[in-house]
Amino acid sequence: MRHVLHGNVLNRYPETRLAELVNCASQNFDVISSLCDDYDPGKGEFYFDRDPDAFKCIIEVYYFGEIHMKRGICPICFIKEMEFWKIDTSFLDECCKSNLNEKEEELAEIADKVKLILDDMEGDPAADRWERCQKFLWKLMEKPESSLPARAIAIVSFLFILISSVVMCVGTIPDLQVEDAEGNPVEHPTLDAIETACIGWFTVEYLLRLISSPNKVHFALSFMNIIDFLAIMPFYVVLILTYLGTAVMELANVQQAVQALRIMRIARIFKLARHSSGLQTLTYALKRSFKELGLLLMYMGVGIFVFSALGYTMEQSHPETLFKSIPQSFWWAIITMTTVGYGDIYPKTTLGRCNAAISFLCGVIAIALPIHPIINNFVIYYNKQKVLETAAKHELELMELQSNEGAARKASRKSRKSSGGGGVWDNTMRTSRSDTYIPLLADLHRTRQQSCK
């Protein structure tokens, strides 16, 4: 691809590579060859073995004073092109800088993932026996992808979570409950035993993860670990209140406290997020969508207040009105705007029904508006995680391939040295593996140097 550029245009930025070529065109061939890949003195043409699409963007700085990256160009490779042409990154437009920052963050995350994987694979040779055992236990409990036993433990933990959740629900069925000595319904002894076994597993799992954790404070304050603690804590508090609480407080108060703590068992369902990348992605998407969720709550709050007040005012003329007050009308506005409509409160006048129809339409619109950004955040993060995982695996495969090639090259070099031959061939092969080696251009360059001499 050939470009014709004028010297007065290139000299607008004299520190760039093209401006240096224009200013040193009258000097010797060695200086020019250090700035370009090849040079034709007869035609006055410079040759560069660079990306032509990136160069089309690069030359925009001489005409417009800023650079825009085209779609499909890797931002990291484009920055290397700018460094080659000696153009500062400050000439990049703001939209391109944001794209570059995103790519740099992705590369940093890939590097972190690769580092973690390498640390798990290699380990620290200077660590003592307890540190090695602690690290092995941490991988076993926290990283199911590290080994087959770790995956089996993750599956067993997942099954215990499901079983405990099912037992909690089944235990509330009256037909499966039994009566205690006072005639109060309690859980069946079999279900109680299953519950105890599940709590025992959760307790052992939590303690092992706590013991093997590299950072105990960070582990204790982590959101998912707090949920794990809340999932097992009510069981032991109930035991303490059952056996020791009667000596401190009345039996009725103890039973109320026990029932309140049993409700906290629903927290264990959130333990599934530890074993589900989809739930983790959903949590992250909701975190990134706080602004959109705030807008949704604001829209709904304004609508609920307006339409409940209008409904209360319009229904006052009816003798059998169900709208006794504006706060009571809030419930009607909520179930109407969210399209639930239980039917326990409904308007009976014509104006009230018109108000209900308008509130229904406004509720649908208010809910639909912020939904797309939330879904978009979910899809972006999910795809990003998949790309990062794939890139990290490819990086590890590439590192393994390069290490194998390096070992094979050393072995072949030793064998050739022992046989006493192949020195020229080895230099040729080593040169041909260079990314910047171009045989035809090098031969042509050497011929021109000889002719100049």
Side-chain angles (χ1 to χ4, degrees):
M1 184 176 294
R2 180 176 297 176
H3 292 273
V4 179
L5 302 173
H6 298 282
N8 58 346
V9 176
L10 299 178
N11 283 324
R12 295 176 181 175
Y13 301 97
E15 297 84 6
T16 60
R17 182 180 290 268
L18 293 178
E20 291 179 359
L21 274 176
V22 172
N23 297 328
C24 73
S26 59
Q27 299 182 18
N28 57 18
F29 187 81
D30 294 333
V31 177
I32 297 176
S33 61
S34 65
L35 296 173
C36 61
D37 294 315
D38 201 3
Y39 171 58
D40 188 349
K43 297 181 180 180
E45 294 181 351
F46 304 97
Y47 172 76
F48 298 91
D49 187 18
R50 311 299 298 185
D51 184 6
D53 294 330
F55 183 73
K56 291 179 181 179
C57 303
I58 293 292
I59 60 177
E60 289 182 359
V61 70
Y62 297 102
Y63 295 99
F64 309 110
E66 61 181 7
I67 298 177
H68 291 272
M69 285 188 299
K70 291 184 178 179
R71 288 184 177 272
I73 298 179
C74 176
I76 306 300
C77 297
F78 190 80
I79 292 300
K80 294 181 179 180
E81 289 290 322
M82 294 183 65
E83 292 175 355
F84 174 81
W85 296 108
K86 299 181 180 180
I87 297 176
D88 193 74
T89 55
S90 60
F91 291 103
L92 273 176
D93 192 64
E94 292 298 327
C95 61
C96 301
K97 288 182 180 179
S98 62
N99 191 15
L100 174 63
N101 294 332
E102 291 179 0
K103 291 298 180 182
E104 289 178 345
E105 291 176 359
E106 289 183 4
L107 289 178
E109 292 180 7
I110 293 173
D112 293 339
K113 285 181 177 292
V114 172
K115 183 180 179 181
L116 290 175
I117 296 174
L118 290 178
D119 290 342
D120 292 339
M121 294 172 58
E122 298 174 358
D124 188 6
D128 55 14
R129 179 179 298 179
W130 165 246
E131 291 178 348
R132 290 196 299 269
C133 180
Q134 185 181 13
K135 190 170 185 178
F136 172 77
L137 189 60
W138 176 255
K139 290 166 56 178
L140 192 66
M141 304 303 297
E142 277 290 321
K143 299 180 179 181
E145 69 279 358
S146 61
S147 63
L148 184 60
R151 186 179 297 274
I153 290 177
I155 294 175
V156 172
S157 180
F158 181 80
L159 292 176
F160 268 107
I161 295 171
L162 291 181
I163 292 172
S164 64
S165 302
V166 171
V167 167
M168 183 186 67
C169 298
V170 172
T172 59
I173 300 176
D175 295 338
L176 298 179
Q177 292 178 344
V178 295
E179 294 183 354
D180 57 6
E182 289 78 14
N184 298 319
V186 295
E187 288 187 358
H188 196 278
T190 304
L191 298 179
D192 197 15
I194 297 175
E195 173 77 8
T196 304
C198 293
I199 291 297
W201 171 266
F202 296 150
T203 304
V204 173
E205 180 188 28
Y206 183 83
L207 292 177
L208 290 177
R209 291 172 53 242
L210 178 62
I211 294 172
S212 62
S213 173
N215 191 337
K216 303 295 190 296
V217 177
H218 182 268
F219 177 88
L221 298 179
S222 176
F223 176 73
M224 292 305 303
N225 295 326
I226 292 175
I227 290 179
D228 292 343
F229 178 76
L230 293 178
I232 61 178
M233 182 268 295
F235 178 82
Y236 296 101
V237 176
V238 167
L239 287 180
I240 294 173
L241 291 178
T242 302
Y243 293 101
L244 301 179
T246 53
V248 181
M249 61 183 72
E250 296 180 359
L251 181 60
N253 296 332
V254 171
Q255 291 177 348
Q256 292 177 0
V258 167
Q259 292 299 326
L261 288 171
R262 284 182 178 274
I263 296 176
M264 295 181 63
R265 293 186 300 174
I266 61 176
R268 68 187 59 173
I269 196 65
F270 294 105
K271 289 170 61 70
L272 291 175
R274 183 182 302 279
H275 308 283
S276 174
S277 59
L279 290 177
Q280 295 174 7
T281 304
L282 178 61
T283 304
Y284 180 83
L286 293 177
K287 289 181 180 179
R288 292 290 300 269
S289 305
F290 276 156
K291 183 179 179 180
E292 290 79 9
L293 292 174
L295 289 175
L296 175 60
L297 294 178
M298 185 187 70
Y299 295 155
M300 295 298 295
V302 172
I304 289 170
F305 181 80
V306 171
F307 291 113
S308 60
L310 291 176
Y312 170 76
T313 304
M314 294 174 180
E315 290 294 311
Q316 287 303 299
S317 59
H318 199 280
E320 299 178 357
T321 180
L322 299 174
F323 294 78
K324 304 299 182 181
S325 64
I326 292 181
Q328 186 181 6
S329 303
F330 286 167
W331 170 246
W332 167 82
I334 291 173
I335 62 177
T336 302
M337 295 189 69
T338 54
T339 68
V340 177
Y342 289 116
D344 53 346
I345 301 177
Y346 56 91
K348 297 182 178 180
T349 63
T350 303
L351 290 177
R353 291 171 180 172
C354 293
N355 177 59
I358 297 173
S359 65
F360 166 77
L361 295 176
C362 291
V364 172
I365 296 174
I367 294 174
L369 285 177
I371 290 299
H372 179 71
I374 298 174
I375 296 175
N376 193 35
N377 289 335
F378 177 86
V379 173
I380 289 175
Y381 181 76
Y382 184 80
N383 293 335
K384 181 180 178 181
Q385 291 300 114
K386 291 296 182 182
V387 170
L388 290 178
E389 292 176 1
T390 305
K393 291 180 181 179
H394 288 174
E395 186 72 19
L396 289 173
E397 293 174 357
L398 181 61
M399 293 172 62
E400 184 179 0
L401 181 62
Q402 289 177 348
S403 62
N404 293 336
E405 287 183 353
R409 196 178 299 118
K410 289 181 181 179
S412 62
R413 192 179 299 119
K414 288 181 180 179
S415 63
R416 279 195 290 270
K417 285 183 179 179
S418 61
S419 61
V424 176
W425 174 254
D426 184 54
N427 293 334
T428 305
M429 291 298 292
R430 188 160 53 249
T431 306
S432 65
R433 285 191 176 91
S434 174
D435 294 337
T436 58
Y437 177 72
I438 305 174
L440 295 178
L441 289 177
D443 296 339
L444 183 61
H445 175 69
R446 193 179 301 110
T447 305
R448 286 180 177 170
Q449 279 186 335
Q450 293 175 358
S451 63
C452 290
K453 292 179 180 179

